[in-house]
Amino acid sequence: MSDPFRNQPFPRGALLGVAALIGFALVAVGAARLADFRVGVPTAGAAAQVRELRFVDEPGGVVQVYDGDDSTPLATLAPGTENFIRGVLRGLARERRSHGLGGTQAPFRVARYPDGRLTLEDPATGRL
């Protein structure tokens, strides 16, 4: 079998385009590193409102949300709903277990910032 591309050189324009793209990417990353540019990292600032919340798994997949050490529930997450917060809490619980804090019911810290951002922090592990 003969090679159909034997006498055809690789397109020079494509090679130059790829080289230019790689060069631009390297220069952009270098400039961002030198300028200490960070995307998506919240700037330090005072939170407008901070609240301590406990999330307790109940039988049947229900999650009760309590305010700090208070025993009255603020909200009830029904099974099959609020999957985002369930996933976040699952990750935070896994982090607590890896630090040997498995059964603690220490509250999480929810903070609202003046620009509308919300953060969920685990004071027991320091994970944000």
Side-chain angles (χ1 to χ4, degrees), residues 26-42:
L26 290 174
V27 168
V29 168
R33 288 282 197 148
L34 288 174
D36 197 29
F37 181 74
R38 297 172 190 229
V39 176
V41 177

Side-chain angles (χ1 to χ4, degrees), residues 23-94:
F24 173 76
L26 290 174
V27 168
V29 168
R33 288 282 197 148
L34 288 174
D36 197 29
F37 181 74
R38 297 172 190 229
V39 176
V41 177
T43 57
Q49 185 179 16
V50 177
R51 211 160 173 185
E52 304 281 327
L53 297 178
R54 286 185 311 115
F55 299 88
V56 178
D57 287 323
E58 300 287 337
V62 173
V63 175
Q64 295 287 348
V65 183
Y66 296 96
D67 186 14
D69 294 325
D70 195 4
S71 61
T72 56
L74 293 175
T76 301
L77 308 179
T81 63
E82 307 296 340
N83 291 325
F84 177 76
I85 191 66
R86 287 175 185 272
V88 170
L89 291 173
R90 205 172 296 126
L92 291 171
R94 183 175 32 248

Side-chain angles (χ1 to χ4, degrees), residues 89-114:
L89 291 173
R90 205 172 296 126
L92 291 171
R94 183 175 32 248
E95 185 80 14
R96 282 186 175 185
R97 282 192 304 273
S98 72
H99 282 86
L101 306 170
T104 63
Q105 291 297 325
F108 295 99
R109 185 174 298 131
V110 178
R112 179 189 311 266
Y113 290 87

